[in-house]
């Protein structure tokens, strides 16, 4: 057939140019799809199945039947069920084989009630050998019902009876349909203003204990149904977010790799949910524990071992903290305490660690004592004529003026990137530490822990020369310390305020803060701290005296200039 002039010739394959009959073309596509499916080339196999179905006639159900089996093979039971239902309408005498595919697809979709009803209908409609596959599947579905609502369900309900009311209210109770309303109307009723062009997304915060609990439950879930291969599934899950594998900043195929790994993991999860629906976790636990009394003894013995190991770890942590205090290494001690309390202590429950509050008080008090030991009398002479003496005495660096940046056209340093260099790395480290401290503060309940976290936030802001935020967090730390009657943490937060006022050269505020710190040092019964604070107070009074003297001299000079000017004008 010749192509008319002015019309582009379509790009066809050699077998598409020949005028094959529709039936023969479908047979070719079906054969290729079967071959590609056997070679695990699922994408091309599905493509040729689709091309075959596009050309099918009303009495051809074989392709739909084969595509239904293929969809079940690649973990697409929804598509398999749809193809099987379409094939059953045109199957004729082969309807029993197609109904088997529908039954299997319903079983894969965990629709056990509909599956059982359809099996009973087909058992009544078919006779002879056609009934055998349905009888086999009826035995399987009866066992599934026995595993779900059998003898293992009663102990599970008795064990979790207290949680049933909460689960019913949150998930099972039908809710009233919400009438659609405009966003501006909802905000007007709440007396809020609609000034944003987009809805702000709030990130769900998960506590570290909940995250660890979820991770542990997921691990147990995969171990129950996949046994030794759970490690491969955990490895696949970790690969999805591994930058070494994804390489999203270097190659354009990163999206395809991530999509492929996500699809593989979704298939595994779907298969695991199928196994869970057929035999839930409580049934697996009930099946493994034939002797409940022996299982309870094993569980109790394991709990005692965990408690004993936790106690040994706590004693080891306290010994390490004591050793770091003797070495007078404040930096390592603060990092060690932060790591222990953020990664270990926060994951322990009262059941495993009954003395958790006492341990927290012990650790934070050791840290506070070490921080107080840094306030000691200097070995050099302190002079009020040096404006930075107070900062050096308190152990902080004075505020430096920002350096003027010289821009030279064509110079390499002028075009340096802002996302590189030492200052950029310091800013990234500050953001990470601030985010971690704020997350811990959100879930912290003990006042002494909140006081410590607020103190660390104030100190981090001071290191970034953000003195106003430092004063704000220090004030909050003082309030939390007063809640738990911790004088030492109140003293430390007060000294942070003194450091900020020393950097800002606010001598009157500094005098008030130092007076409060002196009273706290007296309550702590520490002569060394009292002597140190008294030296700071004397230096601050000298600063105030010198500033008043300089103001008086400046006033006298101004008056003399004004008097000379008035004499010259009168003369």
């Amino acid at each position: 057939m010749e192509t008319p002039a002015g019309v582009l010739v379509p790009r066809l394959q050699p077998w598409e140019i020949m005028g094959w009959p529709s039936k023969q073309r479908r047979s070719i596509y079906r054969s290729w799809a079967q071959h590609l499916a056997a070679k695990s080339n699922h994408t091309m196999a599905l493509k040729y199945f689709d091309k075959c179905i596009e050309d099918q006639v009303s009495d051809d159900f074989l392709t739909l039947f084969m595509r239904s089996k293929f969809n079940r093979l690649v973990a697409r039971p929804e598509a398999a069920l749809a193809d099987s239902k379409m094939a059953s309408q045109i199957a004729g005498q082969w309807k029993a084989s197609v109904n088997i595919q529908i039954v299997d697809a319903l079983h894969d979709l965990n629709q056990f009630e509909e599956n059982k009803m359809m099996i009973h209908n087909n058992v009544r409609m078919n006779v002879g050998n056609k009934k055998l596959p349905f009888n086999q599947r009826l035995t399987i579905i009866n066992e599934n019902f026995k595993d779900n609502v059998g003898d293992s369900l009663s102990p599970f309900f008795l064990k979790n009876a207290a949680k049933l009311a909460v689960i019913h209210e949150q998930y099972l109770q039908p809710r009233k349909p919400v009438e659609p309303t405009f966003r501006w109307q909802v905000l007007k009723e709440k007396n809020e203003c609609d000034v944003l062009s987009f809805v702000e997304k709030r990130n769900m915060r998960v506590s570290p204990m909940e995250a660890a609990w979820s991770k542990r439950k997921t691990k147990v879930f995969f171990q129950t149904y996949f046994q030794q291969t759970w490690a491969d599934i955990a490895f696949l899950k970790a690969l999805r977010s591994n930058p070494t594998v994804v390489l999203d900043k270097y190659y354009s195929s990163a999206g395809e790799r991530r999509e492929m790994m996500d699809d593989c993991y979704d298939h595994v999860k779907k298969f695991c949910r199928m196994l869970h629906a057929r035999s839930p976790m409580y049934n697996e636990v009930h099946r493994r524990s034939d002797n409940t009394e022996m299982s309870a003894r094993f569980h109790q013995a394991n709990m005692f071992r965990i408690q004993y190991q936790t106690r040994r770890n706590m004693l080891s942590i306290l010994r390490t903290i004591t050793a770091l205090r003797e070495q007078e290494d404040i930096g390592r001690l603060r990092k060690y305490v932060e790591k222990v309390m953020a990664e270990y202590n926060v994951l322990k429950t009262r059941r495993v660690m009954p003395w958790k509050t006492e341990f927290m008080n012990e650790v934070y008090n050791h840290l506070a004592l070490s921080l107080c030991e840094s306030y000691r009398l200097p070995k050099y002479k302190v002079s009020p004529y040096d404006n930075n003496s107070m900062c050096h005495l308190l152990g902080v660096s004075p505020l430096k003026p920002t350096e003027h940046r010289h821009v030279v056209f064509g110079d390499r340093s002028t075009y340096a990137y802002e996302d590189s260099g030492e200052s950029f790395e310091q800013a990234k480290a500050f953001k990470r530490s601030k985010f971690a401290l704020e997350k811990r503060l959100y879930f912290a309940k003990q006042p002494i822990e909140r006081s410590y976290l607020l103190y660390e936030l104030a100190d981090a802001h001071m290191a970034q020369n953000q003195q106003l935020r430092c004063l704000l967090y220090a004030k909050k730390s003082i309030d939390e310390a007063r809640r738990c009657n911790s004088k030492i943490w109140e003293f430390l937060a007060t000294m942070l305020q003194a450091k900020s006022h020393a950097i800002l050269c606010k001598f009157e505020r500094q005098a008030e803060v130092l007076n409060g710190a002196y009273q706290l040092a007296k309550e702590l019964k520490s002569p060394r701290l009292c002597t140190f604070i008294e030296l700071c107070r004397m230096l601050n009074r000298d600063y105030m005296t010198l500033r008043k003297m300089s103001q008086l001299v400046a006033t006298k000079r101004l008056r003399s200039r004004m008097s000379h000017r008035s004499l010259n004008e009168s003369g």
Side-chain angles (χ1 to χ4, degrees):
M1 184 176 64
E2 297 182 357
T3 305
V7 178
L8 292 175
V9 178
R11 186 177 180 180
L12 301 175
Q13 299 295 338
W15 58 85
E16 295 177 339
I17 298 175
M18 303 179 64
W20 297 102
S22 176
K23 185 176 181 180
Q24 189 171 2
R25 189 166 56 247
R26 289 198 308 274
S27 177
I28 293 172
Y29 288 152
R30 191 186 307 122
S31 177
W32 286 352
Q34 286 179 296
H35 175 73
L36 292 169
K39 296 293 183 181
S40 299
N41 192 349
H42 298 152
T43 304
M44 296 302 297
L46 184 62
K47 173 185 175 182
Y48 284 111
F49 272 128
D50 295 340
K51 290 177 70 68
C52 182
I53 290 173
E54 289 174 0
D55 296 338
Q56 76 173 359
V57 293
S58 58
D59 59 346
D60 186 8
F61 75 96
L62 185 59
T63 306
L64 287 170
F65 177 75
M66 295 173 64
R67 191 172 73 169
S68 174
K69 296 180 67 175
F70 171 75
N71 283 326
R72 286 193 62 229
L73 179 66
V74 296
R76 296 176 59 192
E78 298 88 353
L81 180 62
D83 289 341
S84 299
K85 287 182 177 179
M86 290 173 59
S88 66
Q89 298 175 1
I90 54 177
Q93 62 177 347
W94 304 99
K95 193 170 184 179
S97 301
V98 178
N99 286 342
I100 292 175
Q101 287 293 319
I102 296 177
V103 168
D104 292 339
L106 289 173
H107 193 254
D108 292 343
L109 288 171
N110 304 325
Q111 299 179 11
F112 299 139
E113 294 84 357
E114 297 182 8
N115 186 12
K116 188 174 177 63
M117 289 190 295
M118 188 164 187
I119 290 175
H120 280 288
N121 292 336
N122 282 273
V123 166
R124 286 194 297 268
M125 288 189 300
N126 296 291
V127 294
N129 291 331
K130 291 184 178 180
K131 290 178 60 176
L132 294 178
F134 295 103
N135 287 330
Q136 294 173 359
R137 285 162 175 78
L138 182 61
T139 304
I140 294 173
I141 197 65
N142 288 335
E143 291 296 324
N144 292 150
F145 274 100
K146 183 179 178 181
D147 291 339
N148 278 271
V149 294
D151 298 335
S152 60
L153 186 61
S154 300
F156 176 74
F157 272 142
L158 291 175
K159 185 179 178 180
N160 299 277
K163 303 177 183 178
L164 295 178
V166 179
I167 294 174
H168 181 266
E169 292 178 359
Q170 292 184 354
Y171 303 104
L172 302 179
Q173 189 174 9
R175 299 180 181 180
K176 297 180 180 179
V178 180
E179 297 181 0
T181 55
F182 295 102
R183 185 167 180 263
W184 65 266
Q185 190 174 1
V186 175
L187 293 176
K188 183 178 179 181
E189 294 175 356
K190 295 180 180 180
N191 294 325
E192 296 180 3
C193 180
D194 183 13
V195 295
L196 296 176
S197 58
F198 59 91
V199 180
E200 183 180 1
K201 295 182 179 179
R202 296 183 179 180
N203 295 328
M204 295 294 295
R205 294 188 178 184
V206 181
S207 66
M209 190 173 293
E210 291 178 355
W213 178 84
S214 176
K215 184 178 180 181
R216 174 64 181 167
K217 289 295 182 182
T218 304
K219 179 181 176 181
V220 172
F221 184 72
F222 286 131
Q223 284 178 341
T224 303
Y225 294 104
F226 293 106
Q227 297 178 0
Q228 287 83 5
T229 56
W230 72 270
D232 300 331
I233 300 170
F235 181 66
L236 175 62
K237 183 179 180 181
L239 281 181
R240 297 186 304 158
S241 57
N242 193 336
T244 308
V245 178
V246 178
L247 296 175
D248 51 351
K249 294 184 179 179
Y250 303 99
Y251 300 101
S252 58
S253 59
E256 298 178 3
R257 280 193 296 275
R258 186 183 289 109
E259 184 179 359
M260 180 187 67
M261 289 186 290
D262 290 341
D263 290 342
C264 293
Y265 187 68
D266 290 341
H267 290 166
V268 172
K269 286 199 303 182
K270 185 179 292 185
F271 180 64
C272 198
R273 290 196 189 101
M274 290 165 55
L275 296 177
H276 175 68
R278 297 173 188 181
S279 177
M281 285 283 294
Y282 56 83
N283 183 66
E284 294 291 331
V285 174
H286 181 76
R287 184 184 299 172
R288 290 198 301 265
S289 58
D290 297 333
N291 192 339
T292 56
E293 295 182 359
M294 186 179 295
S295 300
R297 286 200 303 269
F298 285 159
H299 183 73
Q300 188 178 18
N302 184 46
M303 179 60 64
F304 290 157
R305 282 194 294 270
I306 294 173
Q307 286 182 351
Y308 180 61
Q309 184 62 44
T310 303
R311 182 178 179 274
R312 293 182 62 186
N313 293 340
M314 290 163 57
L315 295 177
S316 175
I317 290 168
L318 292 176
R319 284 195 298 268
T320 306
I321 291 174
T322 305
L324 291 175
R325 279 193 62 192
E326 292 176 355
Q327 297 174 10
E328 297 184 356
D329 195 346
I330 302 298
R332 284 182 59 193
L333 178 59
R334 292 178 70 172
K335 289 181 180 179
Y336 182 73
V337 169
E338 181 181 0
K339 181 180 179 181
V340 166
M341 303 306 288
E343 298 178 4
Y344 182 77
N345 182 74
V346 75
L347 301 180
K348 299 299 179 182
T349 61
R350 302 285 179 181
R351 188 180 181 186
V352 176
M353 189 189 290
W355 44 88
K356 186 175 183 179
T357 304
E358 291 79 2
F359 175 70
M360 292 171 61
N361 289 333
E362 192 75 15
V363 171
Y364 289 133
N365 287 333
H366 272 293
L367 177 61
L369 289 172
S370 299
L371 292 172
C372 288
E373 290 173 359
S374 62
Y375 298 114
R376 61 185 66 180
L377 294 177
K379 297 180 181 180
Y380 55 87
K381 185 179 179 180
V382 179
S383 174
Y385 294 100
D386 185 5
N387 294 330
N388 297 330
S389 293
M390 180 66 77
C391 294
H392 295 320
L393 185 61
L394 294 174
V396 292
S397 57
L399 184 62
K400 296 181 180 180
T402 56
E403 297 180 358
H404 180 68
R405 184 178 179 184
H406 298 280
V407 179
V408 180
F409 180 74
D411 191 8
R412 183 183 294 272
S413 62
T414 304
Y415 303 98
Y417 292 104
E418 295 182 357
D419 58 346
S420 62
E422 184 178 357
S423 59
F424 176 73
E425 295 298 330
Q426 291 177 356
K428 282 181 63 177
F430 166 70
K431 289 181 179 178
R432 285 196 297 266
S433 62
K434 179 187 173 185
F435 176 77
L437 290 171
E438 288 179 346
K439 183 179 179 180
R440 287 183 60 190
L441 182 64
Y442 183 82
F443 296 104
K445 296 180 180 179
Q446 299 292 335
I448 190 170
E449 184 179 11
R450 294 181 61 84
S451 179
Y452 157 75
L453 294 172
L454 289 167
Y455 174 86
E456 290 290 341
L457 280 169
D459 192 43
H461 283 291
M462 180 185 292
Q464 297 293 320
N465 286 329
Q466 300 176 4
Q467 306 303 329
L468 296 179
R469 292 188 178 182
C470 172
L471 291 171
L472 176 63
Y473 282 114
K475 181 64 174 64
K476 292 181 179 179
S477 179
I478 291 173
D479 295 338
E480 294 293 339
R482 287 174 179 171
R483 283 182 57 196
C484 61
N485 197 21
S486 178
K487 299 294 181 183
I488 191 166
W489 279 107
E490 186 178 355
F491 171 79
L492 290 172
T494 306
M495 292 305 295
L496 269 185
Q497 289 183 331
K499 291 179 181 180
S500 294
H501 291 317
I503 295 173
L504 297 174
C505 298
K506 295 182 177 181
F507 303 120
E508 289 79 5
R509 297 278 184 88
Q510 181 80 319
E512 297 176 2
V513 171
L514 289 176
N515 290 334
Y518 187 77
Q519 294 296 327
L520 290 171
K522 287 173 62 178
E523 294 179 6
L524 290 172
K525 297 180 182 180
S526 175
R528 186 173 55 82
L529 290 179
C530 291
T531 306
F532 178 80
I533 300 300
E534 185 60 33
L535 177 60
C536 295
R537 293 168 70 186
M538 291 172 58
L539 182 59
N540 189 65
R541 284 196 294 267
D542 293 341
Y543 277 147
M544 296 172 66
T545 304
L546 290 175
R547 189 174 67 174
K548 289 179 181 179
M549 291 174 61
S550 63
Q551 289 176 353
L552 288 174
V553 172
T555 304
K556 288 181 180 180
R557 289 178 181 176
L558 181 60
R559 288 177 179 175
S560 62
R561 288 178 184 175
M562 294 294 292
S563 61
H564 285 304
R565 184 178 297 176
S566 60
L567 289 173
N568 292 333
E569 289 178 357
S570 62

